Amino acid sequence: NVSHFPEPLLHSICTSMVQFTGGASTEVASGQPFKLHLIASLLLKAGDPDHQYPSCLVEGVDLGVDEPTWNTPGVWPTKEELSGESAESDTPPPPEGRDNYPSAEQFAEEIRQTFVEEIPLGMVEGPLSEAQAAQLCGCTPAELCPGPLAGIDELDKIRTIYDGSWGAQNAHIQRNTAERTTAPTVTDGLQALHWLLASRGFQPATGDFVPEWRWPAPDESWSLLKADVSKAHRRIKVKAKDWKYQIAKLNGEYWVNKVGTYGVASAQLYW
């Protein structure tokens, strides 16, 4: 969140980044909050093998219901490469709409207010009638897959969840996804700290390490940094042809999710 930065400072930062990346475009694509081409240029400079990904997001991603989800250039392992994993072989039933969970009705006003707040962000469109939602999605009303919605009380907010499993969207997405994302665990964090400590004993002349584990000394201070992005999954634009698979229906009103939706299997993959 850089909203508190002075405007001249932001301009200076962007100018420096553009110069560093050889004049990359600073345009913000429709339906996306990021300067995607600029990010792609920075990743190219950094040697990221997946540096083209941000530029591909300009047009939006395939949800993965009707076609394979996008693969990386070897960043994530395939299901076959992971022990005990295998590609899904059974063909799931066609996606269909489902009724909302009772919690969605309980928190209907809070969920609706969330949708209203996301309209100017380009994340959702509504309220619409069934016919209007179908027209926006380029499909027939029978092809819309509304719900099932749930509302989770997280004390400071009500999180809206679209259960893509009950309507069978997730089964298709999982079948069409070849790779499995992995995330660092506590063990990885400990290993990283071990590397940091070992580097203190690195001898350039001999190349020897002294990898002896120890906890921080009384005069040392270690910090663990955690970053959180607001509405993270909803920062990825989904192609319009797939909007029909993540329709929200609340008290007779239709809301079209145009971005990654929490509870749909590919939302975390693309984020």
Side-chain angles (χ1 to χ4, degrees), residues 76 82 181-195 224-225 268:
W76 303 116
L82 292 174
T181 57
T182 58
T185 64
V186 172
T187 302
D188 295 305
L190 291 174
Q191 183 65 36
L193 292 174
H194 180 79
W195 284 338
L224 177 65
L225 302 180
Q268 178 178 348

Side-chain angles (χ1 to χ4, degrees), residues 98-118:
R98 295 283 189 176
D99 292 335
N100 292 334
Y101 290 103
S103 60
E105 307 305 324
Q106 178 184 355
F107 298 115
E109 287 301 318
E110 290 87 347
I111 293 175
R112 188 184 192 279
Q113 183 58 34
T114 298
F115 291 151
V116 170
E117 293 171 355
E118 291 181 345

Side-chain angles (χ1 to χ4, degrees), residues 96-105 130 144-151 161-169 247-252 254:
E96 61 178 323
R98 295 283 189 176
D99 292 335
N100 292 334
Y101 290 103
S103 60
E105 307 305 324
E130 182 182 50
L144 295 175
C145 295
L149 294 179
I161 296 179
Y162 184 102
D163 186 358
S165 295
W166 195 14
Q169 292 93 322
I247 299 292
K249 183 181 178 182
L250 200 63
N251 291 337
Y254 284 75

Side-chain angles (χ1 to χ4, degrees), residues 35-199:
K35 300 178 186 295
L36 294 171
H37 293 303
L38 183 58
I39 293 174
S41 296
L42 288 170
L43 295 177
L44 175 62
K45 287 279 188 178
D48 190 323
D50 205 15
H51 62 85
Q52 293 181 333
Y53 177 60
S55 295
C56 295
L57 293 178
V58 171
E59 301 300 326
V61 300
D62 294 314
L63 197 64
V65 175
D66 296 323
E67 64 287 295
T69 55
W70 295 359
N71 289 333
T72 64
V75 176
W76 303 116
T78 63
K79 294 176 181 177
E80 288 74 15
E81 290 172 332
L82 292 174
S83 176
E85 294 285 348
S86 62
E88 289 79 2
S89 57
D90 295 336
T91 302
E96 61 178 323
R98 295 283 189 176
D99 292 335
N100 292 334
Y101 290 103
S103 60
E105 307 305 324
Q106 178 184 355
F107 298 115
E109 287 301 318
E110 290 87 347
I111 293 175
R112 188 184 192 279
Q113 183 58 34
T114 298
F115 291 151
V116 170
E117 293 171 355
E118 291 181 345
I119 293 175
L121 299 177
M123 297 177 177
V124 69
E125 191 155 335
L128 304 168
S129 66
E130 182 182 50
Q132 290 172 326
Q135 182 179 15
L136 181 63
C137 295
C139 67
T140 65
E143 293 176 302
L144 295 175
C145 295
L149 294 179
I152 305 299
D153 189 352
E154 297 186 345
L155 298 182
D156 60 330
K157 65 179 179 181
I158 302 299
R159 181 184 291 275
T160 303
I161 296 179
Y162 184 102
D163 186 358
S165 295
W166 195 14
Q169 292 93 322
N170 284 353
H172 286 271
I173 294 171
Q174 290 158 356
R175 187 171 185 266
N176 288 327
T177 300
E179 296 179 330
R180 177 78 72 185
T181 57
T182 58
T185 64
V186 172
T187 302
D188 295 305
L190 291 174
Q191 183 65 36
L193 292 174
H194 180 79
W195 284 338
L196 290 173
L197 288 171
S199 67

